[in-house]
Amino acid sequence: MDLHRVRRLAGVLIASQLRSGRSTSDPESFFGTPGFLAVIDTAAFAGAALLAWLAVRVSGLPTAAWAQLVGPLLPFLPLVGLSVVLVAGTMFELTATVRFSGSDAAHWLPLDPSEYAMASATAIAFSYSPSIALALGGVLPVAFVSGTFVPYLVAAGLSVVALLQGGLVIEIVRAVGQRAGAVAASRGGRATLVVRAALLILVILAVQLAFNPVVLLAVVHDLASVLIVTAIVPFLWSTQTVFDVLRGDPWLALAFGAGQVAFLGVLVDLAGWARARYWVPAGSEADVGPVRFAAGHPWFSAAGLSAPESAVAAKDLKGFVRRREMMPTLVVPVVFVVLIFLEGGSLGALGVVLWLGWIVGFFGLILATTSVGQERRSLQLLLATPITPRGLHRAKVAAVLVPVLIASVLVGAAVGVYFGFDPVHALALVAISATAGVELTLWGLVFAARYSDFQDRPRPQFLRPSGMLAATASGTVLLFAFLVPAAFALAATGMTAIVAGLVATAIAVGFGVLSIVWSRSGFEALFRELPF
Amino acid sequence: MAGPLAPLPSGPDESPDLAALEVEGISKTYGSVRALTDVSLSVRTGRIVGLLGPNGAGKSTTMKAVLGLVRPDAGRIRLFGQDVAADPPRAKQQIGYVPESPALYEFLTGAEYLDFVADMYGLDAATRTPRIQQFLAGFELAGHEGSLISGYSQGMKQKVALIAALVHRPRLLVLDEPLNGLDPRAARVTKDLLRNLASHEGVAVLFSTHVLEIAQAICDQVVILSRGTVLASGTMEALRARAGLAGSGLEDVFLSLTGTGDLGDVVAALAR
């Protein structure tokens, strides 16, 4: 393996992510170089260390107390890195746009598969390194005062190894997934697309739940005391190494530590092998099924949409299940719904209403805010057709409301049954969550019309960060302004319930009308000139 | 399956002298960059006008302005006598457009995309089906229409973009380098089709290309843009006369008019 080539390629892959879509930015800008990430790492590390040091100074706790705190924490530091890379990696790397994940630009170069895998894993690890820099910075002062600096250094080193391991696992899954996708595509059939999407969602969901830091730490904490378990799971050897250093068993620590580094080598070979064995160029032709030309879409037409509006809405719905980059949007609410069922016992009826309304509302907000940006460069062709701004607005509302309303009915009913709501309250729960979904859908379009990002990126963001921030902050306020009185209306009885219900309705209607007016004016502006 | 491309059913009865497109003194500035300065051109029904110019000359910006995708800072654009800004959807209904780099919805199949476009232009099923099938056969895409566009080659995508621009039988075609990536047969089909549409159906065509032989072969008139301004316009003969290159090809005329004619030193330096 030529490490110089690996380093050069990793640098290009990182720069490609940082610079993608910045058509107007200066290519010489420092913000588009790996050095920028290094500065973020350093700032995150130093900032967290400073805050932790201040906390140590202010608290005045004795050394023993800090040792008690940091002792159980240090062994899990490497797992934090692994967890972050796997959770974020499956979410964003596996769902990257085909054109970017295809990496065809590098295929013609005289690269060994292992070199590419290592370079890509390094780029992935570096992309998510600020999280581990934050964790390491936060623990440093505590480790220093508690006399566990040496175990800290071991944990820090193994955290870097864990980051790379996570990146390599992503590379292996990506290579295998690419082949699986190509095989599925070669079999053809319309169902293939749904199955392919469902499998990707399942993989992401499984990793999201399995490597969710809360779940992971709970499981590992229970297992870590059992040496036999950590001994047979290589990903836990880092944890075991730090445990052994803390316990003063250097030989066992050395064995597990060396094993962990050796396992990294095995993963490099495995990733190279997987790439050589399974990788196929992106974009193989997939026959989806019999061809039928038909005008219009009866369901949308019945809802009052014109032919062009129906066409856009139907096209967007196909995009939801066929576009890999849309998968995170579909997975995140599912993760939260699963958490409702896991944690629901402690929430209470009021909490369930707020939690469910929040999930459905934010599902609507995310779908709506991304609904215009996901047109990307195709917006040029869309705006060249005779659709009107108001027509496009109606189409986007319809396209988002279909999944949002389906989700609110299905999840609302399931939650209602699971938590023993009577039929009337279960129905009210569905109505509240559906209203929350509609409200934030309309609100999200206000931002979609103004802040959409149409640039092609490996990890598309569809909405500019400033827009996402503004939409999330204002959406949260708006959502809870409606949900709190609505939840009270559900939980209370008599006059209180009626008043709370009226307040919730007034808020929903008022903001709904405002959202429609503002989003329509945004769509008018969008049509005035192509935004790229 | 329908046979190869036949002439389309006859369109509206256009008067040969009717101005289909009139661009009158449009200017456009992006920040500090002046993209267009007082650009004027016209395309009459049944005529093919070639828009030529070096990279960055303003050809795509002009075409986008015709579509209403770019809003000129000054000037006016009329389509069949109507200001396009007055009723953009009505204007767009009459235009077929192929952008420089068509970004199609890659998660749709070719057939789904063309069905989507037909819906956008309000074509009923009875009209769209034979027309799309005819185009698919003519461009040798039949058999691939059920596949996702993401798996298409660049040439196949370009063919889909061309069909999408033609399927609603527009009265004006705005084609930004429409032959990009096409195989020789498809390029020939496209050129012959444009000539056919112009001469028999009265379709007006505004056409940009860097391949000057193509422009010379099919354009009735040529407009040469450079740095956002119209450098010259007229028939081939008029341009030759202006350049003082009677009997020369369009390439020599173009290089002479755009001031990029003396390339000997550049080539010699590159060959070293």
Side-chain angles (χ1 to χ4, degrees), chain A residues 98-99 190 193 196 282-297 307-312 315-316 318-320 322-323 374-389 527-532, chain B residues 28 30 64 67-72 88-90 92-93 95 97-105 107-116 119-125 128-129 132-133 136 143-148 150-152 156:
Chain A
V98 173
R99 193 153 55 81
R190 204 160 288 269
L193 296 173
R196 201 164 61 173
S284 52
E285 199 171 328
D287 192 351
V288 172
V291 176
R292 185 179 61 87
F293 297 102
H297 301 271
E309 293 161 12
S310 304
V312 173
K315 179 267 296 174
D316 281 1
K318 286 191 179 103
F320 286 148
R322 293 186 187 179
R323 299 174 69 161
Q374 51 126 333
E375 294 287 344
R376 293 198 173 168
R377 299 278 158 172
S378 305
L379 185 75
Q380 185 176 354
L381 282 166
L382 185 63
L383 296 191
T385 68
I387 195 166
T388 61
F527 270 67
R528 261 178 236 136
E529 184 156 277
L530 198 64
F532 50 82
Chain B
K28 179 69 186 173
Y30 294 105
K64 285 178 185 169
L67 265 295
L69 301 175
V70 162
R71 198 180 204 190
R90 185 160 179 265
K92 290 171 185 174
Q93 182 74 40
I95 305 176
Y97 174 53
V98 175
E100 187 180 3
S101 311
L104 310 176
Y105 297 114
F107 55 89
L108 296 180
T109 66
E112 286 171 341
Y113 181 74
L114 294 172
D115 225 13
F116 165 77
D119 272 336
M120 299 305 288
Y121 289 98
L123 297 184
D124 60 40
R128 77 177 66 176
T129 306
I132 292 173
Q133 285 176 340
L136 289 171
H144 297 280
E145 68 272 39
S147 300
L148 294 177
S150 57
Y152 283 10
M156 290 164 82

Side-chain angles (χ1 to χ4, degrees), chain B residues 16-40:
Chain B
D17 289 318
L18 180 63
L21 174 68
E22 294 163 284
V23 176
E24 297 170 356
I26 62 166
S27 298
K28 179 69 186 173
T29 302
Y30 294 105
S32 59
V33 179
R34 195 134 173 97
L36 298 176
T37 307
D38 196 25
V39 169
S40 296

